[in-house]
C-alpha cells in the first residue's frame, strides 16, 4: 500500500490509547504487525512534560507515528493541535479530526475541509477522518488530501460497517485513492468485510485495547485483514438468488 509516497506492508493501523498498561499496548502493537500507530497530543500535559515517558515508549516501537487531533471541535483547535504535534513528533503526517456531534462523534465535514485546506497548504500530509459522503470526499481531495478515512460506525461503538451501500459507492467513486476505514470496527470479521469491499486498510483502537487479551485480538485482526485483502484480490464469486449445484448433473444415472 502506498500512502503519501510511503510503501507499507501492513494494512492495519493501530491506536495506542485505552490499554491497561504500556506493556500490554506494546505487546498488542507487536502482535498486530502494524507499521503505523496513532497517538493523540494532550496539550494540558505540556508544561510538566508528563507525557514524555509515553512518547518514549511509542518511539521505541520503531514505527511510523500518525498523530491525531482527537477531541478537537473547531478548525482553529484542530489546526493548532496539528502544528503542536508536528513539533513534538517531528512528522508532517496528521490524522485530522474535527468533531461536530458530541454523542455520535460524527465529523464536522465543513470544518474538516477547511482545516484540511489550511494544513495541506502548510505542508502537512493529511489523513482526514470523514464520512462516506462522496461530495465531501471530493472536496477533501481538492483541499490537498491524498487519502480518505471514512468511518465504519461511530468511534468506539464496535458496530462494524453501518452503511455498506455508501462505502461500496465510495470505493467505486474513488478507485485510485487510498481509502482507510476508520472507527466503529469491533470484530475481526468487520475488518475482513471492509477489505473484501476493496478498502486499502483499517484503522482501529478500542476493539483491541478493550479486549480481554489485546495482543491476541491484535493478531486476530491482522489475520482477518490479510484474509480479506486476499479475498478481494482473488475476485470472489458474486452472490446468487438461486441455488446452483456444484456437481454437474450430466452423466448421472437415471431410473
Amino acid at each position: 500500500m502506498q500512502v503519501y509516497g510511503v510503501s507499507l506492508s501492513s494494512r492495519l493501523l493501530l491506536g495506542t490509547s485505552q490499554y491497561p498498561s504500556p506493556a500490554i499496548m506494546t505487546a498488542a502493537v507487536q502482535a498486530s504487525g502494524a507499521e503505523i500507530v496513532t497517538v493523540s497530543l494532550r496539550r494540558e500535559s505540556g508544561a510538566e512534560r508528563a507525557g514524555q515517558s509515553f512518547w518514549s515508549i511509542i518511539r521505541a516501537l520503531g514505527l511510523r507515528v500518525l498523530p491525531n487531533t482527537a477531541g478537537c471541535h473547531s478548525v482553529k483547535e484542530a489546526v493548532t493541535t496539528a502544528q503542536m504535534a508536528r513539533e513534538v513528533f517531528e512528522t508532517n503526517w496528521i490524522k485530522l479530526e474535527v468533531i461536530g456531534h458530541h454523542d455520535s462523534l460524527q465529523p464536522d465535514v465543513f470544518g474538516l475541509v477547511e482545516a484540511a485546506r489550511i494544513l495541506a497548504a502548510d505542508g502537512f500530509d493529511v489523513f482526514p477522518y470523514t464520512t462516506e459522503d462522496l461530495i465531501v470526499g471530493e472536496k477533501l481531495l481538492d483541499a490537498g488530501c491524498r487519502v480518505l478515512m471514512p468511518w465504519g460506525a461511530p468511534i468506539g461503538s464496535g458496530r462494524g460497517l453501518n452503511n455498506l451501500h455508501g462505502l461500496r459507492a465510495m470505493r467505486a467513486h474513488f478507485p485510485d485513492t487510498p481509502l482507510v476505514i476508520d472507527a466503529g470496527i469491533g470484530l475481526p470479521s468487520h475488518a475482513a468485510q471492509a477489505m473484501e469491499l476493496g478498502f486499502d486498510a483499517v484503522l482501529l483502537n478500542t476493539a483491541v485495547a478493550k479486549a480481554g487479551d489485546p495482543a491476541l485480538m491484535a493478531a486476530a485482526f491482522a489475520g482477518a485483514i490479510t484474509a480479506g485483502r486476499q479475498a478481494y484480490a482473488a475476485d470472489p464469486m458474486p452472490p446468487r438468488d438461486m441455488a446452483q449445484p456444484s456437481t454437474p448433473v450430466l452423466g448421472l444415472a437415471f431410473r
Side-chain angles (χ1 to χ4, degrees):
M1 181 174 68
Q2 291 276 341
V3 182
Y4 286 110
V6 175
S7 297
L8 301 167
S9 299
S10 173
R11 295 176 181 272
L12 172 58
L13 289 68
L14 195 62
T16 56
S17 66
Q18 306 184 70
Y19 290 87
S21 71
I24 291 175
M25 178 201 72
T26 298
V29 171
Q30 292 173 339
S32 73
E35 297 172 81
I36 299 175
V37 291
T38 64
V39 295
S40 60
L41 179 67
R42 297 304 181 200
R43 289 155 296 171
E44 60 268 25
S45 68
E48 296 81 15
R49 300 176 66 82
Q52 292 307 301
S53 60
F54 176 74
W55 308 143
S56 297
I57 293 170
I58 295 298
R59 291 190 180 97
L61 293 171
L63 305 176
R64 185 173 289 273
V65 174
L66 176 60
N68 64 39
T69 62
C72 293
H73 291 261
S74 70
V75 172
K76 182 178 180 180
E77 191 177 19
V79 169
T80 300
T81 300
Q83 292 169 340
M84 294 173 66
R86 179 162 61 180
E87 295 299 319
V88 171
F89 297 107
E90 299 178 343
T91 178
N92 287 327
W93 280 21
I94 192 72
K95 180 192 169 189
L96 179 61
E97 298 182 25
V98 182
I99 301 302
H101 191 269
H102 289 276
D103 292 329
S104 68
L105 301 181
Q106 179 172 334
D108 171 1
V109 295
F110 304 101
L112 180 67
V113 171
E114 182 181 351
R117 193 177 303 280
I118 293 170
L119 292 173
D122 193 26
F124 281 89
D125 295 328
V126 181
F127 294 69
Y129 164 61
T130 183
T131 66
E132 64 275 22
D133 188 288
L134 303 183
I135 304 305
V136 174
E138 289 179 349
K139 290 186 179 299
L140 286 168
L141 296 180
D142 290 342
C145 299
R146 291 164 59 189
V147 60
L148 298 174
M149 303 180 70
W151 65 347
I155 294 173
S157 68
R159 296 180 60 86
L161 306 182
N162 275 353
N163 184 359
L164 287 174
H165 173 76
L167 292 172
R168 285 194 185 97
M170 192 172 203
R171 178 68 285 175
H173 192 71
F174 300 108
D176 301 320
T177 300
L179 299 181
V180 180
I181 292 292
D182 178 13
I185 297 296
L187 293 169
S189 57
H190 298 157
Q193 184 180 34
M195 301 307 293
E196 288 168 0
L197 290 176
F199 281 79
D200 296 279
V202 172
L203 191 158
L204 55 93
N205 186 170
T206 308
V208 169
K210 293 298 185 180
D213 187 334
L216 184 59
M217 185 60 81
F221 269 106
I225 288 170
T226 297
R229 182 65 185 184
Q230 289 176 337
Y232 173 73
D235 190 16
M237 62 171 285
R240 303 177 186 274
D241 292 328
M242 301 294 291
Q244 179 175 332
S246 57
T247 301
V249 297
L250 294 176
L252 293 180
F254 288 92
R255 292 182 61 186

